[in-house]
Amino acid sequence: MKNIPFNKPYMTGKELFYIAEAHFNHMLAGDGPFTKKCHEWLEAKTGAKKALLTHSCTAALEMAAILADIQSGDEVIMPSYTFVSTANAFALRGGVPIFVDIRPDTLNIDETRIEAAITSRTKAIVPVHYAGVACEMDAIMDIAQRHNLLVIEDAAQAIMSTYKGKPLGSIGHMGAYSFHETKNIISGEGGALLVNDDRFIERAEIIREKGTNRSQFFRGQVDKYTWIDIGSSYLPGEVIAAFLWAQMEEASTITDCRLNIWKQYHAALESLEAAGSIRRPIIPQYCQHNAHMYYVLLDSLATRTRVIDGLKQQGINAVFHYVPLHLAPAGKRYARTHGDMVNTEDLSNRLLRLPLWVGMNSVENIVTELTGVVINKTITQVIRLGR
Ligand SMILES: *Cc1c(COP(=O)(O)O)cnc(C)c1O
């Protein structure tokens, strides 16, 4: 029986070549030539005023929390249906994540619930572009402007995606990308902060360089560098940047390839949805996504458990996520909810993610097996039925 992994990191073949170049040139610390190439690529691709590589998306979100000047007790509105780092980066500064429910269609933050959650302590809104599909950014930016709040996009999954033609991560005041090996464009661990508001650029460079003005020093703007603010070491070394550069060069090919697999799933699962057995992802027509993920919604938690087991028996690794953050131990301690979490709790129990990686030759086998378990028949029975 062939084993189909849930994820398999794709490598272009040039990674080692660029790493060797960094090695030969003895350029190993951060902000060398490969980092510069990656910054330029990100700025050209997104229109961000400043792009800065970090060692993870988590680090980029932590930088954003510092730049947003989150103080103890400041509130940050975000979905509960997300990865821990979305909340943790703000909790780390003493901020309080305020969770609101998600929309049932895109599983993104329900923008109609944001305004009611705003208080005098609210500092920022953090939309998470789930599966690389945009949140309702026009509505969110409008709310933020009227209440004088910052918008920090958790675009961890959303590189190469757009909302009404605008690259995700470039719409809010800041945006954060992830290059973790489970994402579309990878460097093992890695990330980037996009700064879209001039006010934050200088401080962003300082925070990333241990609270020093070292970047200005290297540009010859100051004749010595020193400690001038809080900060940490958020920059990756050149070996990581060299790897990432190989990926960036192929970003369009990688995205096209993922979209092709995504579309295969979507077409092949149409009849199962029509039969009422599953729900497929819903993509608003003004959102161009990046095929970060293909998921289906099943009718219950029990079905999902049965389907995961059934697929596993056929060597197919399908997974679920997230445990809603408001139900997690640290979520209860460091965060609060505003309003009910009906969609978050319901959908997170029923969501199933299917394998999607560059190099998968076909989804046919997976769809056949999925169809088999969903309609509660073994594959042999399906074959006997003449499929
Ligand atoms: C992957 C992910 C992160 C964290 O990214 P790292 O690069 O691993 O720190 C944050 N938020 C979301 C929504 C993610 O999917």
Side-chain angles (χ1 to χ4, degrees), residues 50-68:
K50 190 87 195 167
L52 294 167
L53 292 193
T54 55
H55 48 71
S56 63
C57 178
T58 303
L61 291 166
E62 287 179 16
M63 283 181 65
I66 298 171
L67 290 165

Side-chain angles (χ1 to χ4, degrees), residues 55-61 81-86 128-130 154-157 177-180 182-183 188-191 292-293 321-322:
H55 48 71
S56 63
C57 178
T58 303
L61 291 166
Y81 185 69
T82 182
F83 187 65
V84 285
S85 297
T86 316
V128 179
H129 304 299
Y130 182 67
D154 183 339
Q157 305 176 5
Y177 283 152
S178 174
F179 305 120
H180 186 264
T182 53
K183 303 302 202 284
E189 303 282 351
H292 174 60
M293 192 189 301
H321 70 179
Y322 301 102

Side-chain angles (χ1 to χ4, degrees), residues 39 42 50-70 83 85-90 92-93 126 151-157 169 173-180 189-196 200 203-205 207-208 232-236:
H39 286 173
L42 283 166
K50 190 87 195 167
L52 294 167
L53 292 193
T54 55
H55 48 71
S56 63
C57 178
T58 303
L61 291 166
E62 287 179 16
M63 283 181 65
I66 298 171
L67 290 165
D69 199 27
I70 300 299
F83 187 65
S85 297
T86 316
N88 213 355
F90 296 90
L92 204 53
R93 318 265 12 125
V126 184
V151 174
I152 297 160
E153 298 175 71
D154 183 339
Q157 305 176 5
H173 300 84
M174 293 173 246
Y177 283 152
S178 174
F179 305 120
H180 186 264
E189 303 282 351
L193 178 71
L194 301 186
V195 183
N196 307 315
F200 300 115
R203 194 165 182 229
E205 288 186 332
I207 287 166
R208 180 168 165 272
S232 188
S233 186
Y234 285 120
L235 69 168

Side-chain angles (χ1 to χ4, degrees), residues 72-240:
S72 179
D74 286 345
E75 297 173 3
V76 181
I77 299 171
M78 62 180 68
S80 168
Y81 185 69
T82 182
F83 187 65
V84 285
S85 297
T86 316
N88 213 355
F90 296 90
L92 204 53
R93 318 265 12 125
V96 183
I98 303 294
F99 299 129
V100 300
D101 206 7
I102 51 172
R103 298 167 57 107
D105 53 359
T106 56
L107 281 57
N108 280 330
I109 190 167
D110 184 344
E111 73 285 354
T112 67
R113 291 171 178 248
I114 292 174
E115 208 146 14
I118 296 173
T119 70
S120 59
R121 296 303 312 260
T122 309
K123 275 264 179 78
I125 305 169
V126 184
V128 179
H129 304 299
Y130 182 67
V133 180
C135 297
E136 290 300 321
M137 291 308 291
D138 281 349
I140 292 168
M141 294 310 289
D142 176 61
I143 294 166
Q145 197 172 11
R146 281 188 286 106
H147 294 269
N148 197 23
L149 304 175
L150 292 174
V151 174
I152 297 160
E153 298 175 71
D154 183 339
Q157 305 176 5
I159 195 162
M160 306 293 281
S161 293
T162 59
Y163 168 80
K164 300 183 180 173
K166 291 183 205 141
L168 301 189
S170 75
I171 303 167
H173 300 84
M174 293 173 246
Y177 283 152
S178 174
F179 305 120
H180 186 264
E181 80 162 39
T182 53
K183 303 302 202 284
N184 290 21
I185 305 299
I186 61 174
S187 60
E189 303 282 351
L193 178 71
L194 301 186
V195 183
N196 307 315
D197 182 325
D198 293 322
R199 286 178 296 165
F200 300 115
I201 294 177
E202 195 180 320
R203 194 165 182 229
E205 288 186 332
I206 290 167
I207 287 166
R208 180 168 165 272
E209 270 282 18
K210 304 96 185 163
T212 72
N213 55 349
R214 192 175 180 178
S215 301
Q216 292 169 344
F217 172 74
F218 280 133
R219 286 196 295 263
Q221 292 166 334
V222 289
D223 55 14
K224 55 179 180 291
Y225 77 88
T226 184
W227 182 24
I228 53 172
D229 201 341
I230 61 165
S232 188
S233 186
Y234 285 120
L235 69 168
E238 277 286 283
V239 171
I240 290 285

